[in-house]
């Protein structure tokens, strides 16, 4: 499901979407795709990996920032069950997603 917001301050609603790639077996990789509205045309300008077997719990777009609440694997977690909560933030630079420190 896409999450909408004006990420490049041009007055149009852009979107971020989490994609899942199934690599066979139980494994999957998640990616974050940025789709910019350029005059009514949706353009995928950036897709970046979030990780292998991560769980995305929530995504917000506010004030040009994408915030993702997700779970990643801790040191003792099984691949099925990531337990470590992390919050990652991204900004848009030259139509690319850039993770913030």
């Amino acid at each position: 499901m896409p999450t909408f917001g004006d990420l490049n301050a041009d007055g149009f609603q852009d979107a971020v979407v989490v994609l899942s790639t199934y690599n066979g077996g139980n494994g999957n990789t998640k990616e974050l795709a940025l789709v910019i509205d350029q005059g009514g045309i949706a353009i995928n300008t950036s897709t970046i990996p979030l990780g292998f077997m991560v769980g995305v719990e929530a995504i917000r777009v506010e004030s040009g920032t994408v915030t993702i609440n997700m779970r990643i694997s801790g040191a003792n977690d099984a691949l099925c069950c990531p337990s470590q909560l992390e919050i990652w933030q991204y900004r848009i630079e030259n139509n690319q997603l850039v993770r913030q420190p």
Side-chain angles (χ1 to χ4, degrees):
M1 167 125 3
T3 301
F4 296 96
D6 185 5
L7 288 165
N8 57 358
D10 66 356
F12 294 103
Q13 291 292 297
D14 308 305
V16 288
V17 179
V18 175
L19 308 173
S20 291
T21 302
Y22 292 95
N23 303 309
N26 294 334
N28 71 59
T29 302
K30 293 220 173 31
E31 298 153 330
L32 185 64
L34 170 64
V35 181
I36 297 292
D37 181 337
Q38 293 183 347
I41 300 171
I43 307 289
N44 175 214
T45 62
S46 181
T47 302
I48 58 168
L50 294 176
F52 177 73
M53 299 300 290
V54 299
V56 176
E57 295 184 351
I59 299 177
R60 292 185 321 275
V61 175
E62 297 174 331
S63 303
T65 300
V66 178
T67 302
I68 303 174
N69 293 12
M70 57 191 287
R71 296 208 179 261
I72 64 169
S73 293
N76 297 315
D77 289 346
L79 287 177
C80 69
C81 310
S83 68
Q84 185 175 333
L85 179 63
E86 291 203 359
I87 299 172
W88 292 5
Q89 291 190 315
Y90 294 86
R91 302 258 324 148
I92 307 308
E93 295 178 14
N94 298 318
N95 286 334
Q96 299 295 304
L97 290 162
V98 177
R99 189 167 172 196
Q100 301 301 291

